[in-house]
């Protein structure tokens, strides 16, 4: 039997509108992985955010998680970085300088200690709202510490920058960021709030497609099947053997996907994986 690695985006794809995996679908997926199905996630979230989303459901992965839009492959079972793609130091410095010209809150992710830790540095010279403050506290873990940017000493490898704000604030930053060499930039709408966007950037040689292919190689899979709903998933579509978009995905993603499947609220990803693994998928 061909070995297929199934890699799924989280928000708007694997997760339902409550940002969770329903217990009945989590059980189906874990039963499949127990039978040899290869599954991982490919998300813009960091490892702590990914664990926060799938941990309560008990979903188990059989390959490193592709996090931060492919900038980092992280072992969720024995926490450490498996592979990462550093941003060139000059480019990272230019991004920091660009954000400092604005009042937009942002986070910077740094792999340290030879991959044993991944530090989230957050901008502490601007106001942080209550939900973000609670999120930062909730994701502060031994292998994933959260620190104010004023404490950053320049050590480690910067792998990603991320911010979420209204598009009126982010549009001008995005236009300037495009002038910085050495970056791969993704700019896309928030799944949960109209008018808000994520602006994220990592190394030019990274991205969700590169990360997903690296995960495929690590588990020795013959093929890569991917699931995603938003524009930051397009790099995965471009390298995968097959791509699947929920019927609630961005119209353009549905258009270019190999197949359109039931929505994230109907367990579309897990139902499709089950049908493919058991040879019952109807194209």
């Amino acid at each position: 039997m061909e070995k297929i690695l199934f890699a799924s985006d989280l928000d708007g794809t694997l997760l339902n509108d409550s940002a969770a995996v329903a217990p009945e679908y989590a059980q189906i997926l874990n039963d499949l992985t127990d039978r040899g199905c290869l599954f991982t996630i490919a998300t813009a979230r960091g490892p702590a955010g990914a664990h926060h989303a799938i941990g309560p459901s008990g979903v188990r992965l059989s390959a490193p998680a592709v996090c931060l839009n492919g900038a980092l492959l992280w072992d969720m079972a024995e926490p450490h970085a498996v592979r990462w793609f550093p941003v060139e130091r000059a480019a990272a410095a230019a991004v920091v300088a660009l954000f400092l010209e604005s009042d937009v809150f942002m986070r910077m992710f740094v792999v340290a200690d030879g991959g044993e830790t991944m530090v989230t540095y957050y901008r502490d010279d601007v106001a942080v709202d209550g939900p973000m403050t609670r999120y930062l506290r909730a994701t502060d873990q031994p292998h994933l510490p959260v620190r104010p940017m004023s404490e950053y000493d320049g050590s480690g490898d910067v792998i990603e920058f991320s911010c979420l704000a209204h598009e009126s604030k982010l549009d001008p930053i995005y236009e300037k960021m495009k002038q910085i060499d050495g970056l791969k930039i993704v700019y896309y709408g928030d799944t949960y709030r109209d008018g808000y966007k994520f602006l994220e950037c990592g190394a030019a040689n990274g991205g969700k497609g590169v990360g997903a292919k690296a995960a495929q190689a690590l588990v020795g899979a013959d093929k890569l099947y991917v699931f995603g709903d938003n524009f930051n998933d397009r790099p995965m579509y471009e390298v995968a053997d097959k791509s699947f978009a929920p019927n609630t995905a961005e119209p353009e993603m549905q258009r270019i996907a190999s197949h359109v499947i039931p929505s994230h609220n109907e367990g579309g990803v897990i139902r499709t994986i089950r049908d493919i693994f058991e040879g019952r998928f109807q194209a």
Side-chain angles (χ1 to χ4, degrees):
M1 180 183 294
E2 284 185 323
K3 292 175 65 176
I4 301 170
L5 174 63
F6 297 95
S8 178
D9 173 54
L10 289 180
D11 298 282
T13 306
L14 183 68
L15 304 181
N16 58 29
D17 281 344
S18 298
V21 180
E24 62 269 27
Y25 292 125
Q27 185 60 55
I28 291 170
L29 183 56
N30 286 339
D31 288 345
L32 291 171
T33 57
D34 287 343
R35 292 162 55 192
C37 181
L38 298 175
F39 174 78
T40 193
I41 56 174
T43 176
R45 292 179 183 238
H51 178 75
H52 186 75
I54 66 172
S57 69
V59 165
R60 299 191 300 273
L61 307 183
S62 44
V66 180
C67 297
L68 298 172
N69 286 315
L72 174 71
L73 271 66
W74 186 263
D75 188 320
M76 301 286 277
E78 299 180 6
H80 68 279
V82 177
R83 187 175 178 188
W84 61 95
F85 300 87
V87 177
E88 295 177 359
R89 290 192 175 275
V95 172
V96 171
L98 177 58
F99 275 107
L100 290 178
E101 295 174 359
S102 75
D103 62 352
V104 173
F105 175 81
M106 65 88 166
R107 292 172 293 159
M108 179 177 74
F109 302 91
V110 179
V111 173
D113 305 321
E116 290 302 308
T117 60
M118 201 236 19
V119 188
T120 299
Y121 289 98
Y122 64 92
R123 190 171 176 187
D124 55 336
D125 63 327
V126 295
V128 184
D129 63 25
M132 177 56 72
T133 298
R134 291 190 292 272
Y135 180 79
L136 292 172
R137 289 173 181 166
T139 54
D140 187 8
Q141 302 173 17
H143 292 277
L144 299 165
V146 177
R147 300 288 182 266
M149 191 167 287
S150 57
E151 294 183 7
Y152 179 57
D153 62 3
S155 62
D157 292 327
V158 176
I159 58 171
E160 179 88 347
F161 293 89
S162 176
C163 64
L164 168 64
H166 195 272
E167 59 188 3
S168 60
K169 287 191 171 185
L170 289 185
D171 283 350
I173 297 176
Y174 172 60
E175 291 302 322
K176 293 180 180 179
M177 189 176 286
K178 289 191 295 183
Q179 306 305 313
I180 301 174
D181 293 332
L183 298 178
K184 183 181 290 287
I185 306 167
V186 287
Y187 188 39
Y188 59 100
D190 181 17
T191 300
Y192 305 105
R193 288 194 290 177
D194 290 340
Y196 280 74
K197 287 186 175 182
F198 285 98
L199 176 56
E200 298 158 346
C201 67
N205 65 336
K208 270 195 178 184
V210 172
K213 290 296 287 184
Q216 177 189 359
L218 285 168
V219 297
D222 302 302
K223 290 186 176 181
L224 174 66
Y225 288 5
V226 303
F227 300 80
D229 73 311
N230 216 324
F231 298 114
N232 65 324
D233 298 309
R234 187 163 190 153
M236 289 202 302
Y237 276 35
E238 293 171 350
V239 301
D241 295 284
K242 288 188 178 180
S243 55
F244 301 82
N247 59 22
T248 47
E250 288 285 344
E252 174 66 9
M253 301 305 291
Q254 294 187 51
R255 186 187 70 79
I256 65 175
S258 304
H259 303 279
V260 176
I261 60 173
S263 80
H264 58 302
N265 288 318
E266 301 171 279
V269 170
I270 294 172
R271 289 166 53 192
T272 301
I273 292 173
R274 178 190 59 193
D275 290 348
I276 293 172
F277 187 77
E278 296 180 347
R280 296 186 287 110
F281 180 73
Q282 298 296 317

